[in-house]
Amino acid sequence: MSPARTSPRTRVAALTALLSLGVLVAPVEAAGTPPAGAGHQRPCAASSAPDRGPARDVLRIAGRAKAEMGLKSVIVRVTVDGREVVTGALGESMTGVPATPAMHFRNGNVAISYMGTALLRLVDQGKVGLDDPVARWLPDLADGERITLRMLAASTTGLVDYVRLPAFQQAVVADPYRHWTPKELVALSTAEDRWYEPGTNWSYSHANFVLLGAALEKITGTRLDVLLKEEVLRPLGLRETRNGFTPDIPEPALHAFTADRGTYEESTFWNPSWTTAPGAVQTTDICDLARSAGGIGSGRLLSPEGYRELLNPGTVGLGHPTRTCPATVCLAQTEATHYGMGLLVLGDWVSQHPLFFGYSASQAYLPSERLAIAVSTTNGPAAASGHSAHTIAQRIAAALAPDHPIPDFG
């Protein structure tokens, strides 16, 4: 990751000064004890309505984007050095039910960044090496002697992404409630010819992270959801982020809708079992997502060496089309935009932006300014598919840190 530039035009410095005076800060955690049996251990609450300054600007950006993109809801939180600038929710969860910051939603590939960090913590602890062959723990994986833990976490194995396979896509559309097992998912990828020899190129494959989850369990003898809680969630204080072995979402749930099957329908409880390793299929809220952006993006849980590996595990310079791998798959990994270890480095930002049938989210962190942006969106009937939450995060970044834009990846 290239050193971030500073500039007098960067508004984060002004934000920090205001925060130190208490000008912008609303209570981060509302007082009081949740009722017995409530899913929330502490409520994530909206800020007082701002009448000026950066907080108002953020909400205006979110409101304009909601209208422009045809979104049903937008939930946003911005912090500097962990201190709240603004938290807000616009639109509805369901008809007549307002969206709120306390609502839980799927965090998708954000959990993959937790897997990468967990792996690097094991490396820091001397329990494993990044270049250890995965055959040591996954002896049934073809070519497991040539595939390393680094390659799984950095997505350089050459394994085909089963999500791209027409047969898989048809199966998911035909039955979005189907539960997929890791064995089924990995078999789809390994049945195809590899895009390239392990470690020689870059391409995203969900299969890498299904396998990484299995390897982490074997290495530690601990179930993945427990491992991630012990190594990442608890140390970062992510008390509203949790694994689900079923499609259920803890209450209060942000409901999602999609037109991906040709008609606008609810997709809240479609089964996400195929998205990553079991034990890392998580839900979260906007407060945890902002806390996650800062915790993961700063490398708070890692040694300096581990943090360097997190941001560039050798991916920079990889990514080039070949006879067997088109440019749309083997994307160029540059110093400016590249894949790290379960996350994206986009200019001066550390980011992830998941997408799942009507849900979109984005976490982005600017280390030089300790600025964290978290956004969650759901689609209205006319919304286009795509990473709407990430687009909103880009716009917020442009307003608050104009010298540090978030570039597109690929």
Side-chain angles (χ1 to χ4, degrees):
M1 185 173 184
S2 58
R5 294 174 292 131
T6 58
S7 166
R9 293 199 302 116
T10 301
R11 301 183 66 189
V12 179
L15 282 174
T16 303
L18 289 170
L19 285 167
S20 68
L21 296 173
V23 175
L24 292 176
V25 183
V28 177
E29 297 179 6
T33 302
H40 249 53
Q41 298 181 49
R42 50 109 184 117
C44 180
S47 311
S48 301
D51 59 3
R52 61 185 173 84
R56 183 185 62 175
D57 294 343
V58 169
L59 294 183
R60 282 183 171 176
I61 289 168
R64 284 195 293 266
K66 178 182 176 297
E68 172 193 327
M69 299 179 189
L71 302 174
K72 193 171 186 66
S73 72
V74 178
I75 307 177
V76 62
R77 180 173 170 87
V78 175
T79 65
V80 175
D81 203 17
R83 292 174 292 174
E84 180 187 54
V85 174
V86 66
T87 305
L90 309 174
E92 295 182 317
S93 171
M94 298 183 289
T95 302
V97 179
T100 71
M103 288 180 169
H104 299 96
F105 49 88
R106 304 202 185 280
N107 70 353
N109 59 20
V110 168
I112 292 173
S113 70
Y114 303 157
M115 292 168 64
T117 290
L119 172 61
L120 288 166
R121 280 173 65 83
L122 295 175
V123 173
D124 282 343
Q125 295 161 14
K127 296 178 180 178
V128 73
L130 284 180
D131 297 314
D132 291 345
V134 298
R136 185 177 303 176
W137 303 281
L138 305 177
D140 295 333
L141 177 65
D143 280 345
E145 288 289 349
R146 297 197 298 149
I147 294 174
T148 66
L149 294 170
R150 180 193 301 275
M151 293 175 194
L152 289 180
S155 206
T156 61
T157 64
L159 289 171
V160 167
D161 188 0
Y162 54 79
V163 171
R164 291 180 173 270
L165 300 176
F168 175 80
Q169 294 171 1
Q170 292 164 11
V172 170
V173 169
D175 183 7
Y177 296 99
R178 174 178 170 177
H179 181 84
W180 294 82
T181 68
K183 185 175 181 180
E184 289 175 313
L185 297 171
V186 172
L188 288 171
S189 288
T190 55
E192 303 291 320
D193 290 338
R194 197 176 275 112
W195 285 118
Y196 48 83
E197 290 300 304
T200 63
N201 209 333
W202 184 91
S203 59
Y204 190 88
S205 174
H206 288 73
N208 291 327
F209 304 106
V210 175
L211 290 165
L212 178 59
L216 288 171
E217 290 189 333
K218 293 284 189 177
I219 291 166
T220 62
T222 303
R223 209 172 65 187
L224 183 61
D225 61 314
V226 176
L227 177 69
L228 294 182
K229 185 174 182 179
E230 292 176 347
E231 295 291 338
V232 180
L233 304 185
R234 186 179 293 144
L236 292 182
L238 305 183
R239 292 179 291 178
E240 291 300 326
T241 303
R242 63 200 70 174
N243 171 70
F245 287 111
T246 74
D248 191 27
I249 297 178
E251 291 293 337
L254 179 67
H255 286 246
F257 302 82
T258 183
D260 285 340
R261 298 203 304 171
T263 184
Y264 187 64
E265 59 186 326
E266 181 163 7
S267 54
T268 308
F269 302 110
W270 286 7
N271 198 321
S273 56
W274 55 267
T275 56
T276 189
V281 182
Q282 297 178 345
T283 56
T284 193
D285 70 7
I286 202 68
C287 285
D288 265 15
L289 192 64
R291 190 174 288 113
S292 164
I296 296 297
S298 66
R300 184 182 309 159
L301 303 180
L302 301 174
S303 67
E305 181 181 359
Y307 186 47
R308 287 192 294 270
E309 292 283 7
L310 180 76
L311 299 182
N312 179 16
T315 49
V316 173
L318 296 179
H320 51 273
T322 67
R323 181 180 57 81
T324 57
C325 189
T328 53
V329 174
C330 287
L331 300 175
Q333 305 296 292
T334 69
E335 185 69 31
T337 59
H338 61 270
Y339 201 75
M341 197 156 282
L343 48 73
L344 290 163
V345 175
L346 302 178
D348 297 325
W349 296 77
V350 184
S351 177
Q352 257 305 8
H353 43 273
L355 189 68
F356 180 82
F357 292 125
Y359 283 111
S360 174
S362 178
Q363 70 171 38
Y365 184 70
L366 180 60
S368 65
E369 308 291 355
R370 302 185 298 280
L371 172 63
I373 300 171
V375 184
S376 172
T377 65
T378 56
N379 287 346
S385 60
H387 293 281
S388 56
H390 181 60
T391 299
I392 295 172
Q394 288 176 307
R395 295 178 183 181
I396 292 171
L400 298 186
D403 286 343
H404 306 278
I406 303 177
D408 291 322
F409 177 68

